[in-house]
């Protein structure tokens, strides 16, 4: 049984799907005539990745990475470790990183540096959620679904202790 309680629905699935349509259209226009590689960050980005990829009308491939940033259940420490690397050679490619949430920015900052070192031509970030109050490193997020305030968010891929990823909406943990 869950010991924590979750709050009200903050963002519905319909709102997320509409946003995926908008962002997918934007990416399609910006990369017209080019190929892209979408890199989903496991596991949180899985639902958002599925929504966004259907709405991009370009030649594309997909890949996934799994990273962990050490810390407590709700705060990251700043140290990033790769648990599953890319299977794709991204040298000279247009890469769009698909992430669930940008909080401190540490994970994405690390990933952008990593993709640069692997020779990516263009690196963009597409995040379902942005939590600007959590930011510790300066990072430019190119495509943002929704901005949230400084709460611990769960649902639609985002977990607390690996739970709640299956909720078909975005909510938060009650204090
Ligand atoms: P960072 O602090 O920007 O490096 O965030 C790294 C990761 O922490 C994200 O990819 C999420 O998996 C996780 N995370 C950050 N904030 C939340 C949250 O509010 N709920 C669930 N996971 C979060
Ligand atoms: Mg995550």
């Amino acid at each position: 049984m869950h010991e924590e309680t979750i709050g009200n629905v903050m963002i519905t699935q319909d709102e997320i799907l509409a946003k995926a349509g908008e962002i997918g259209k934007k990416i399609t226009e910006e990369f017209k005539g080019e190929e892209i590689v979408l890199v989903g960050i496991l596991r949180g980005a899985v639902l958002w990745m599925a929504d966004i990829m259907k709405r991009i009308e370009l030649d594309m491939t997909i890949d996934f990475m799994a990273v962990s940033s050490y810390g407590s259940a709700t705060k990251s420490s700043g140290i990033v470790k790769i648990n599953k690397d890319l299977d794709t050679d991204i040298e000279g490619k247009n890469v769009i990183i698909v992430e669930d949430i940008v909080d401190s920015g540490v994970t994405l900052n690390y990933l952008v540096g990593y993709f640069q070192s692997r020779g990516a031509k263009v690196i963009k970030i597409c995040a379902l959620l942005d939590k600007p109050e959590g930011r510790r490193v300066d990072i430019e997020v190119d495509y943002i679904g929704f901005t949230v305030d400084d709460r611990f968010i769960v649902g639609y891929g985002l977990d607390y202790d690996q739970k709640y990823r299956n909720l078909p909406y975005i909510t938060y943990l009650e204090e």
Side-chain angles (χ1 to χ4, degrees):
M1 278 273 86
H2 303 315
E3 288 136 37
E4 55 289 335
T5 40
I6 58 169
N8 297 323
V9 175
M10 290 168 75
I11 306 166
T12 65
Q13 176 163 240
D14 284 345
E15 290 172 310
I16 295 169
L17 292 173
K19 189 63 79 172
E22 274 172 40
I23 294 176
K25 189 162 173 248
K26 211 166 156 200
I27 292 173
T28 303
E29 283 161 8
E30 285 182 19
F31 287 92
K32 204 171 213 95
E34 306 222 26
E35 282 182 34
I36 62 170
V37 184
L38 280 194
V39 178
I41 308 305
L42 295 171
R43 287 166 262 198
V46 168
L47 302 200
W48 176 234
M49 175 89 165
D51 293 340
I52 206 89
M53 63 188 279
K54 284 179 281 193
R55 310 306 294 269
I56 299 173
E57 296 171 38
L58 297 169
D59 287 341
M60 74 152 114
T61 61
I62 66 166
D63 201 346
F64 293 94
M65 281 182 80
V67 296
S68 45
S69 72
Y70 291 106
S72 65
T74 60
K75 285 280 171 235
S76 96
S77 66
I79 301 162
V80 179
K81 175 172 165 257
I82 296 179
N83 299 318
K84 184 222 166 287
D85 204 344
L86 292 171
D87 294 316
T88 309
D89 178 6
I90 57 164
E91 188 167 353
K93 303 270 180 68
N94 300 307
V95 176
I96 300 179
I97 307 172
V98 181
E99 178 57 307
D100 53 359
I101 186 167
V102 190
D103 181 16
S104 69
V106 167
T107 306
L108 280 167
N109 189 52
Y110 173 83
L111 286 172
V112 167
Y114 181 69
F115 291 154
Q116 278 167 347
S117 76
R118 301 275 298 252
K121 181 170 81 170
V122 172
I123 304 165
K124 301 270 185 185
I125 296 169
C126 171
L128 171 59
L129 301 173
D130 182 21
K131 201 197 284 183
E133 285 168 66
R135 207 68 98 248
R136 281 193 282 145
V137 297
D138 204 19
I139 177 129
E140 193 189 327
V141 187
D142 305 279
Y143 312 105
I144 294 171
F146 305 88
T147 300
V148 292
D149 51 15
D150 195 12
R151 287 176 166 166
F152 197 80
I153 308 295
V154 294
Y156 220 80
L158 290 93
D159 73 303
Y160 173 74
D161 203 11
Q162 298 304 329
K163 292 179 294 192
Y164 306 112
R165 293 193 196 276
N166 56 317
L167 296 178
Y169 51 85
I170 301 282
T171 181
Y172 58 92
L173 287 190
E174 296 271 23
E175 294 297 319

